[in-house]
Amino acid sequence: MKINELMTPGLESISPKTTAKEAARKMHDLHIGSLPVVDDGELVGIITDRDICCRVTGMGRDAVMTSVADVMGKEVVTCFDDQDVTDAVQLMVDHHIRRLAVLRRDNSMAGFLSVDDLARNSHELASNVLQEIGRASCRERV
């Protein structure tokens, strides 16, 4: 099965110049926990609700004065929409992540593939990803 058959297409995105407060509001309004950060059509990062919590609020920064670029994750794990789902699962396990940015072959954003997307197709597949991510997290803490 190909990634484009399971992924969530047509994503909202945000500019790196946007404030952390605006990013938090957008995530709240859309009921999502992350946004791809796109600059001139190119994926340059990802911002999550955890980034805002830990890197803004937790560090005592002003969310109105802090830009998305200041707190976003700059290393985004990606896959291509025409790859096999097993490739995506392996990336999630290897990088201990629950969602992948999905690109088209021209490097434009196609969507996201999350563990929830996997679960809609196969509870077993999603469960395996979560178990492997959990095991890796436990090994890192030891």
Side-chain angles (χ1 to χ4, degrees):
M1 180 171 287
K2 299 295 181 195
I3 292 169
N4 59 15
E5 297 175 57
L6 297 180
M7 70 180 201
T8 302
L11 294 174
E12 292 285 331
S13 63
I14 200 157
S15 163
K17 297 174 186 159
T18 306
T19 68
K21 180 180 180 182
E22 291 170 294
R25 171 56 68 185
K26 189 170 189 174
M27 283 187 261
H28 173 270
D29 292 347
L30 295 170
H31 306 286
I32 57 176
S34 65
L35 284 165
V37 182
V38 177
D39 192 19
D40 290 328
E42 180 183 343
L43 179 66
V44 295
I46 187 167
I47 187 152
T48 66
D49 47 7
R50 190 170 195 284
D51 292 329
I52 294 169
C53 179
C54 295
R55 295 180 182 162
V56 179
T57 307
M59 300 304 290
R61 297 168 108 170
D62 183 344
V64 174
M65 301 302 293
T66 304
S67 72
V68 166
D70 293 336
V71 294
M72 70 183 187
K74 293 178 178 84
E75 293 184 25
V76 183
V77 179
T78 63
C79 59
F80 291 106
D81 62 348
D82 61 356
Q83 282 182 270
D84 194 82
V85 170
T86 56
D87 296 338
V89 167
Q90 193 60 54
L91 283 169
M92 288 177 170
V93 169
D94 291 349
H95 294 278
H96 315 106
I97 56 176
R98 290 173 169 75
R99 65 182 69 88
L100 279 172
V102 181
L103 304 176
R104 294 180 192 92
R105 288 293 172 172
D106 66 0
N107 286 326
S108 63
M109 281 293 299
F112 263 98
L113 180 71
S114 69
V115 173
D116 290 344
D117 295 326
L118 297 175
R120 278 190 279 282
N121 182 271
S122 168
H123 292 285
E124 183 180 342
L125 190 58
S127 178
N128 290 342
V129 170
L130 291 173
Q131 286 176 356
E132 287 300 318
I133 291 170
R135 280 190 199 113
S137 294
C138 289
R139 284 192 299 267
E140 289 172 2
R141 284 184 239 161
V142 175

